[in-house]
Amino acid sequence: MTIAIIVLMLLGYVLICTEHITRINKATVALFCGVSGWVMYVCVGPYYIEVLHDAGFQEFLGSQSYSLRAVNEYISQHVFTKHMIQLANIVLYLLATMAIVDVLNNNGCFDFVTKLCRSRSTWVTVTMFALCSFLLSANLDNLTSAVVMFMVMNQLLIDHRQRMLVGAIIVIATNCGGCFTVIGDVTSLLVWTRGAVTPTNYTAALVLPALFATIIPTFLIGRMLPSHLDLKRSSVVFRGDDADVRLWQQQLMLWLGMGGLWFVPTFYRLTKLPPFLGALCVLGVLWVVNEIINRKRILSDQPFTRPNRSLQYEVMQMIMFFLGVGLSVDILIEVGAMNYVAYWCDQYIHNIYILSLVLGAVSSVMDNVALVITGISIYPVLDGNTPGMTEYMQSFVENGEYWHLITLSGCVAGCLLPIGNTAGYALMKSEDVTIWWYIKHITAKVLLGWFCALGVYFLVDYFLR
């Protein structure tokens, strides 16, 4: 059964990689593989429980007699639930942030981005698109930030080729911006909640590499654009009545939303409660303020909110995909496949920089979320005070270099191809970007930025360690 489960997961990964060919939604594939894997695990539960969980199962049995029902109850309560709690924490966090973005969008908090990016000068527009994408994704997840920036891009740019190039900059900037904070990407959030990194150390280690990985491709792509861009005429955003949202309201809601999300790591450090509770707290405060300052408009006959269905749909797809991948990786952990992968990596690679290069190269083809989650799950977080630890083993302690490098390489190298990240998929759908066009015009620039980012990380780690 172990071989059957592994084969199922490998076939699922192949289908995820070839979504652009098969047209089968990768979220559907991930969920099917995750659920099917756990069903197969339960079918031969007694074997895995006796081999891997015998001591815990005997304690669970107590004076009860051995039965298949007892085995299934133990799997449900002590095996599956343990993994599901970690996944549910992140899913609830993403749902909370999606609701926060919806409230901010209804209050026109992203309208200022359109104003900042509006310029006939190519370099002003490119710089502002990259900067806003980078900073937004440091607070929100990178897919949400990318979809918001694509909306801004479509409100400004007329020429299709210019939108393709600027869209590629948005994809790169959102992925790089998301990787240097623990709340900016699903993978960095997972590394943090599993106790592998602390927020301050993580950001300090990756902010410079992430900047270099953004600046270099942005500069090279910007040189491919004309000196002046073709812009649409400025228009007033309609919100259900003919009144614009006031500037002070936009600023108040934006600072409450973004500032609240930055407070989430502090909330976790002070209370030790899951991060999603901090995000829900921010959502509650934001919602109350929204009800107060928009009371007249809410009570009026004309609705003033128009939910962004495309944004909600894309984020829900990402959440379902993450849940399916998480279930798939967890079942591979339970059948012992990850232990074998870790042993093989230790024996034949035994270098975290080479590991990060391999992971980054594969993440350009396979979705980077799936691959980074797999990379995180290969190794446990080691105790730095354990006697006899080698320099290589020190890379896997809390705030070790391994956790930094796999998230950096997964996020940056995932932009080598548009199929390697969710924002790239969104660009392919919105602007009809093909893989061959992307390889011809973008891949080499991202590759240069990735290598420079790794070099910067090595230098910073070498001189400051």
Side-chain angles (χ1 to χ4, degrees):
M1 187 60 76
T2 300
I3 295 176
I5 291 175
I6 294 174
V7 169
L8 173 66
M9 299 307 160
L10 291 176
L11 288 175
Y13 278 158
V14 170
L15 287 175
I16 289 171
C17 295
T18 56
E19 181 191 17
H20 60 291
I21 299 174
T22 62
R23 302 300 180 184
I24 301 175
N25 192 295
K26 63 180 180 179
T28 305
V29 174
L31 282 172
F32 175 80
C33 291
V35 173
S36 299
W38 278 102
V39 171
M40 295 166 69
Y41 181 88
V42 170
C43 290
V44 289
Y47 168 76
Y48 291 116
I49 295 303
E50 290 173 6
V51 173
L52 301 173
H53 300 280
D54 186 60
F57 179 62
Q58 294 302 325
E59 183 180 351
F60 171 79
L61 274 179
S63 59
Q64 301 179 45
S65 58
Y66 179 91
S67 66
L68 183 59
R69 181 176 181 178
V71 171
N72 290 343
E73 286 181 355
Y74 180 80
I75 292 174
S76 174
Q77 298 176 20
H78 296 273
V79 179
F80 178 75
T81 303
K82 176 186 67 174
H83 296 291
M84 197 61 205
I85 287 174
Q86 290 182 328
L87 295 176
N89 284 338
I90 296 179
V91 168
L92 289 171
Y93 181 88
L94 293 174
L95 288 172
T97 56
M98 182 179 73
I100 290 171
V101 171
D102 201 40
V103 174
L104 295 179
N105 188 50
N106 286 332
N107 283 275
C109 294
F110 301 119
D111 291 352
F112 81 99
V113 178
T114 305
K115 297 175 182 177
L116 287 175
C117 296
R118 177 174 289 278
S119 173
R120 289 296 303 277
S121 171
T122 295
W123 287 112
V124 173
T125 300
V126 165
T127 301
M128 295 314 300
F129 265 109
L131 182 62
C132 291
S133 301
F134 188 84
L135 294 178
L136 275 180
S137 63
N139 296 274
L140 310 172
D141 66 88
N142 50 12
L143 176 60
T144 302
S145 304
V147 173
V148 169
M149 294 305 299
F150 288 155
M151 290 189 299
V152 172
M153 178 183 71
N154 285 314
Q155 291 172 8
L156 292 179
L157 300 182
I158 298 174
D159 185 78
H160 180 243
R161 182 177 182 276
Q162 293 176 9
R163 291 201 307 270
M164 292 168 71
L165 292 171
V166 173
I169 291 174
I170 292 172
V171 170
I172 297 166
T174 51
N175 276 278
C176 295
C179 80
F180 85 93
T181 65
V182 295
I183 60 173
D185 188 80
V186 176
T187 55
S188 56
L189 184 63
L190 185 61
V191 172
W192 174 43
T193 55
R194 289 194 174 183
V197 299
T198 56
T200 302
N201 179 278
Y202 182 83
T203 298
L206 293 185
V207 61
L208 283 179
L211 277 172
F212 273 84
T214 304
I215 292 171
I216 292 173
T218 298
F219 173 74
L220 295 175
I221 295 172
R223 296 179 61 186
M224 301 171 63
L225 291 164
S227 57
H228 296 286
L229 300 176
D230 299 325
L231 300 181
K232 297 179 181 178
R233 289 186 177 182
S234 179
S235 59
V236 178
V237 179
F238 180 75
R239 300 189 185 284
D241 60 12
D242 291 331
D244 290 330
V245 179
R246 286 160 290 185
L247 180 61
W248 69 265
Q249 179 180 332
Q250 295 178 5
Q251 294 175 345
L252 174 63
M253 297 298 287
L254 181 65
W255 284 109
L256 280 176
M258 296 300 183
L261 288 175
W262 272 99
F263 179 72
V264 170
T266 303
F267 173 88
Y268 175 74
R269 186 174 68 250
L270 294 176
T271 65
K272 299 303 179 184
L273 294 172
F276 78 85
L277 281 176
L280 288 175
C281 180
V282 175
L283 175 61
V285 173
L286 202 63
W287 220 327
V288 169
V289 175
N290 177 69
E291 294 284 325
I292 294 172
I293 64 178
N294 291 302
R295 183 172 179 80
K296 291 182 179 179
R297 306 177 81 186
I298 292 173
L299 295 177
S300 64
D301 295 333
Q302 293 182 336
F304 82 98
T305 59
R306 291 189 174 185
N308 192 323
R309 299 299 182 189
S310 63
L311 178 61
Q312 293 177 355
Y313 177 77
E314 294 288 349
V315 175
M316 285 302 299
Q317 290 260 329
M318 181 193 68
I319 291 174
M320 292 297 103
F321 175 67
F322 166 77
L323 185 59
V325 169
L327 290 172
S328 301
V329 171
D330 288 340
I331 195 63
L332 291 175
I333 294 173
E334 285 301 324
V335 300
M338 289 304 182
N339 292 334
Y340 177 78
V341 173
Y343 174 80
W344 190 90
C345 291
D346 289 341
Q347 291 294 315
Y348 297 101
I349 298 180
H350 204 72
N351 185 292
I352 58 170
Y353 281 92
I354 296 177
L355 277 174
S356 68
L357 287 171
V358 172
L359 183 141
V362 178
S363 69
S364 65
V365 179
M366 184 186 296
D367 189 277
N368 60 350
V369 173
L371 201 64
V372 174
I373 292 175
T374 304
I376 293 168
S377 304
I378 293 175
Y379 295 101
V381 182
L382 301 180
D383 185 359
N385 297 321
T386 303
M389 292 191 71
T390 63
E391 184 178 355
Y392 176 72
M393 294 173 65
Q394 287 288 342
S395 302
F396 303 96
V397 302
E398 184 182 47
N399 293 321
E401 293 89 345
Y402 176 77
W403 313 113
H404 298 154
L405 286 172
I406 60 169
T407 52
L408 176 66
S409 290
C411 290
V412 178
C415 301
L416 287 170
L417 294 176
I419 61 175
N421 61 93
T422 51
Y425 269 105
L427 178 64
M428 291 176 69
K429 292 177 182 178
S430 64
E431 300 300 332
D432 295 325
V433 171
T434 65
I435 295 177
W436 307 118
W437 179 91
Y438 195 94
I439 291 174
K440 180 179 179 180
H441 296 94
I442 308 299
T443 298
K445 301 170 180 61
V446 177
L447 184 65
L448 179 61
W450 177 33
F451 286 159
C452 289
L454 290 176
V456 170
Y457 179 84
F458 174 79
L459 292 174
V460 172
D461 181 61
Y462 179 79
F463 286 107
L464 297 182
R465 181 166 40 174

